[in-house]
mmCIF file of all heavy atoms in Angstrom:
data_model
loop_
_atom_site.group_PDB
_atom_site.id
_atom_site.type_symbol
_atom_site.label_atom_id
_atom_site.label_comp_id
_atom_site.label_asym_id
_atom_site.label_seq_id
_atom_site.Cartn_x
_atom_site.Cartn_y
_atom_site.Cartn_z
ATOM 1 N N SER A 107 27.691 -31.545 -86.176
ATOM 2 C CA SER A 107 27.197 -32.836 -86.659
ATOM 3 C C SER A 107 25.718 -32.735 -87.004
ATOM 4 O O SER A 107 24.974 -31.928 -86.436
ATOM 5 C CB SER A 107 27.407 -33.919 -85.599
ATOM 6 O OG SER A 107 26.724 -33.593 -84.401
ATOM 7 N N ARG A 108 25.319 -33.572 -87.947
ATOM 8 C CA ARG A 108 23.923 -33.610 -88.367
ATOM 9 C C ARG A 108 23.557 -35.043 -88.736
ATOM 10 O O ARG A 108 24.228 -35.674 -89.558
ATOM 11 C CB ARG A 108 23.691 -32.695 -89.571
ATOM 12 C CG ARG A 108 22.333 -32.812 -90.236
ATOM 13 C CD ARG A 108 21.199 -32.376 -89.328
ATOM 14 N NE ARG A 108 19.904 -32.468 -89.997
ATOM 15 C CZ ARG A 108 18.737 -32.245 -89.405
ATOM 16 N NH1 ARG A 108 18.696 -31.902 -88.136
ATOM 17 N NH2 ARG A 108 17.620 -32.364 -90.067
ATOM 18 N N ASN A 109 22.513 -35.580 -88.080
ATOM 19 C CA ASN A 109 22.022 -36.918 -88.390
ATOM 20 C C ASN A 109 20.842 -36.835 -89.345
ATOM 21 O O ASN A 109 19.995 -35.934 -89.234
ATOM 22 C CB ASN A 109 21.581 -37.640 -87.110
ATOM 23 C CG ASN A 109 22.751 -38.039 -86.250
ATOM 24 O OD1 ASN A 109 23.532 -38.905 -86.620
ATOM 25 N ND2 ASN A 109 22.890 -37.399 -85.091
ATOM 26 N N VAL A 110 20.788 -37.762 -90.270
ATOM 27 C CA VAL A 110 19.650 -37.886 -91.179
ATOM 28 C C VAL A 110 18.949 -39.195 -90.827
ATOM 29 O O VAL A 110 19.322 -40.276 -91.307
ATOM 30 C CB VAL A 110 20.099 -37.870 -92.649
ATOM 31 C CG1 VAL A 110 18.890 -37.999 -93.576
ATOM 32 C CG2 VAL A 110 20.885 -36.606 -92.955
ATOM 33 N N GLY A 111 17.946 -39.079 -89.956
ATOM 34 C CA GLY A 111 17.284 -40.269 -89.452
ATOM 35 C C GLY A 111 18.301 -41.180 -88.796
ATOM 36 O O GLY A 111 19.194 -40.744 -88.079
ATOM 37 N N ARG A 112 18.179 -42.468 -89.078
ATOM 38 C CA ARG A 112 19.155 -43.449 -88.604
ATOM 39 C C ARG A 112 19.995 -43.989 -89.751
ATOM 40 O O ARG A 112 20.633 -45.040 -89.627
ATOM 41 C CB ARG A 112 18.430 -44.606 -87.889
ATOM 42 C CG ARG A 112 17.682 -44.173 -86.637
ATOM 43 C CD ARG A 112 16.924 -45.332 -86.008
ATOM 44 N NE ARG A 112 17.779 -46.451 -85.667
ATOM 45 C CZ ARG A 112 18.470 -46.541 -84.535
ATOM 46 N NH1 ARG A 112 18.411 -45.556 -83.643
ATOM 47 N NH2 ARG A 112 19.228 -47.596 -84.274
ATOM 48 N N LEU A 113 20.017 -43.235 -90.849
ATOM 49 C CA LEU A 113 20.701 -43.710 -92.051
ATOM 50 C C LEU A 113 22.061 -43.086 -92.277
ATOM 51 O O LEU A 113 22.956 -43.720 -92.850
ATOM 52 C CB LEU A 113 19.820 -43.453 -93.289
ATOM 53 C CG LEU A 113 18.460 -44.154 -93.318
ATOM 54 C CD1 LEU A 113 17.698 -43.748 -94.577
ATOM 55 C CD2 LEU A 113 18.645 -45.672 -93.270
ATOM 56 N N ALA A 114 22.247 -41.842 -91.852
ATOM 57 C CA ALA A 114 23.506 -41.160 -92.171
ATOM 58 C C ALA A 114 23.806 -40.085 -91.136
ATOM 59 O O ALA A 114 22.907 -39.573 -90.466
ATOM 60 C CB ALA A 114 23.423 -40.528 -93.572
ATOM 61 N N ALA A 115 25.073 -39.770 -91.028
ATOM 62 C CA ALA A 115 25.525 -38.667 -90.177
ATOM 63 C C ALA A 115 26.624 -37.922 -90.920
ATOM 64 O O ALA A 115 27.423 -38.527 -91.646
ATOM 65 C CB ALA A 115 26.050 -39.188 -88.845
ATOM 66 N N PHE A 116 26.632 -36.600 -90.759
ATOM 67 C CA PHE A 116 27.609 -35.752 -91.445
ATOM 68 C C PHE A 116 28.296 -34.868 -90.408
ATOM 69 O O PHE A 116 27.670 -34.407 -89.447
ATOM 70 C CB PHE A 116 26.928 -34.887 -92.507
ATOM 71 C CG PHE A 116 26.219 -35.696 -93.567
ATOM 72 C CD1 PHE A 116 24.874 -36.017 -93.429
ATOM 73 C CD2 PHE A 116 26.908 -36.155 -94.675
ATOM 74 C CE1 PHE A 116 24.223 -36.764 -94.391
ATOM 75 C CE2 PHE A 116 26.272 -36.906 -95.638
ATOM 76 C CZ PHE A 116 24.934 -37.216 -95.508
ATOM 77 N N TYR A 117 29.581 -34.616 -90.620
ATOM 78 C CA TYR A 117 30.392 -33.874 -89.657
ATOM 79 C C TYR A 117 31.230 -32.812 -90.358
ATOM 80 O O TYR A 117 31.735 -33.040 -91.466
ATOM 81 C CB TYR A 117 31.339 -34.818 -88.900
ATOM 82 C CG TYR A 117 30.643 -35.953 -88.210
ATOM 83 C CD1 TYR A 117 30.424 -37.163 -88.875
ATOM 84 C CD2 TYR A 117 30.179 -35.835 -86.897
ATOM 85 C CE1 TYR A 117 29.782 -38.216 -88.250
ATOM 86 C CE2 TYR A 117 29.527 -36.882 -86.276
ATOM 87 C CZ TYR A 117 29.335 -38.073 -86.953
ATOM 88 O OH TYR A 117 28.684 -39.117 -86.330
ATOM 89 N N ALA A 118 31.367 -31.661 -89.710
ATOM 90 C CA ALA A 118 32.272 -30.608 -90.177
ATOM 91 C C ALA A 118 33.003 -30.066 -88.953
ATOM 92 O O ALA A 118 32.369 -29.737 -87.944
ATOM 93 C CB ALA A 118 31.516 -29.493 -90.889
ATOM 94 N N GLU A 119 34.336 -29.980 -89.040
ATOM 95 C CA GLU A 119 35.142 -29.604 -87.881
ATOM 96 C C GLU A 119 36.161 -28.530 -88.276
ATOM 97 O O GLU A 119 37.288 -28.847 -88.655
ATOM 98 C CB GLU A 119 35.866 -30.834 -87.320
ATOM 99 C CG GLU A 119 34.927 -31.966 -86.943
ATOM 100 C CD GLU A 119 35.659 -33.181 -86.400
ATOM 101 O OE1 GLU A 119 36.861 -33.050 -86.060
ATOM 102 O OE2 GLU A 119 35.052 -34.260 -86.321
ATOM 103 N N PRO A 120 35.794 -27.255 -88.207
ATOM 104 C CA PRO A 120 36.779 -26.196 -88.443
ATOM 105 C C PRO A 120 37.726 -26.086 -87.250
ATOM 106 O O PRO A 120 37.279 -25.947 -86.107
ATOM 107 C CB PRO A 120 35.910 -24.942 -88.598
ATOM 108 C CG PRO A 120 34.649 -25.252 -87.859
ATOM 109 C CD PRO A 120 34.439 -26.730 -87.978
ATOM 110 N N ILE A 121 39.034 -26.145 -87.522
ATOM 111 C CA ILE A 121 40.022 -26.219 -86.438
ATOM 112 C C ILE A 121 41.236 -25.369 -86.793
ATOM 113 O O ILE A 121 41.676 -25.332 -87.952
ATOM 114 C CB ILE A 121 40.459 -27.679 -86.191
ATOM 115 C CG1 ILE A 121 39.265 -28.510 -85.720
ATOM 116 C CG2 ILE A 121 41.580 -27.758 -85.168
ATOM 117 C CD1 ILE A 121 39.537 -29.985 -85.623
ATOM 118 N N TRP A 122 41.778 -24.679 -85.798
ATOM 119 C CA TRP A 122 43.034 -23.920 -85.926
ATOM 120 C C TRP A 122 44.078 -24.558 -85.029
ATOM 121 O O TRP A 122 43.816 -24.843 -83.863
ATOM 122 C CB TRP A 122 42.809 -22.466 -85.526
ATOM 123 C CG TRP A 122 44.065 -21.646 -85.508
ATOM 124 C CD1 TRP A 122 44.674 -21.029 -86.558
ATOM 125 C CD2 TRP A 122 44.863 -21.344 -84.349
ATOM 126 N NE1 TRP A 122 45.799 -20.372 -86.144
ATOM 127 C CE2 TRP A 122 45.955 -20.547 -84.795
ATOM 128 C CE3 TRP A 122 44.776 -21.673 -83.002
ATOM 129 C CZ2 TRP A 122 46.928 -20.075 -83.924
ATOM 130 C CZ3 TRP A 122 45.751 -21.224 -82.125
ATOM 131 C CH2 TRP A 122 46.804 -20.417 -82.595
ATOM 132 N N ILE A 123 45.274 -24.809 -85.593
ATOM 133 C CA ILE A 123 46.351 -25.465 -84.855
ATOM 134 C C ILE A 123 47.574 -24.562 -84.868
ATOM 135 O O ILE A 123 47.998 -24.080 -85.928
ATOM 136 C CB ILE A 123 46.712 -26.828 -85.478
ATOM 137 C CG1 ILE A 123 45.474 -27.706 -85.590
ATOM 138 C CG2 ILE A 123 47.778 -27.547 -84.650
ATOM 139 C CD1 ILE A 123 44.821 -27.649 -86.933
ATOM 140 N N ALA A 124 48.161 -24.342 -83.706
ATOM 141 C CA ALA A 124 49.349 -23.497 -83.565
ATOM 142 C C ALA A 124 50.619 -24.340 -83.579
ATOM 143 O O ALA A 124 50.619 -25.499 -83.169
ATOM 144 C CB ALA A 124 49.279 -22.703 -82.265
ATOM 145 N N ASN A 125 51.710 -23.729 -84.079
ATOM 146 C CA ASN A 125 53.047 -24.331 -84.070
ATOM 147 C C ASN A 125 53.108 -25.602 -84.911
ATOM 148 O O ASN A 125 53.638 -26.630 -84.489
ATOM 149 C CB ASN A 125 53.510 -24.624 -82.638
ATOM 150 C CG ASN A 125 55.001 -24.825 -82.554
ATOM 151 O OD1 ASN A 125 55.762 -24.310 -83.376
ATOM 152 N ND2 ASN A 125 55.443 -25.577 -81.567
ATOM 153 N N THR A 126 52.598 -25.512 -86.139
ATOM 154 C CA THR A 126 52.584 -26.680 -87.019
ATOM 155 C C THR A 126 53.823 -26.791 -87.894
ATOM 156 O O THR A 126 54.077 -27.842 -88.464
ATOM 157 C CB THR A 126 51.345 -26.639 -87.928
ATOM 158 O OG1 THR A 126 51.296 -25.376 -88.613
ATOM 159 C CG2 THR A 126 50.074 -26.824 -87.121
ATOM 160 N N ASN A 127 54.591 -25.719 -88.018
ATOM 161 C CA ASN A 127 55.772 -25.733 -88.876
ATOM 162 C C ASN A 127 57.011 -26.064 -88.044
ATOM 163 O O ASN A 127 57.415 -25.286 -87.191
ATOM 164 C CB ASN A 127 55.938 -24.368 -89.548
ATOM 165 C CG ASN A 127 57.046 -24.362 -90.585
ATOM 166 O OD1 ASN A 127 57.869 -25.266 -90.656
ATOM 167 N ND2 ASN A 127 57.066 -23.323 -91.400
#
Side-chain angles (χ1 to χ4, degrees):
S107 60
R108 171 65 179 175
N109 288 292
V110 180
R112 297 177 57 84
L113 299 178
F116 300 92
Y117 304 90
E119 303 180 14
I121 297 172
W122 175 84
I123 305 96
N125 198 26
T126 53
N127 187 346

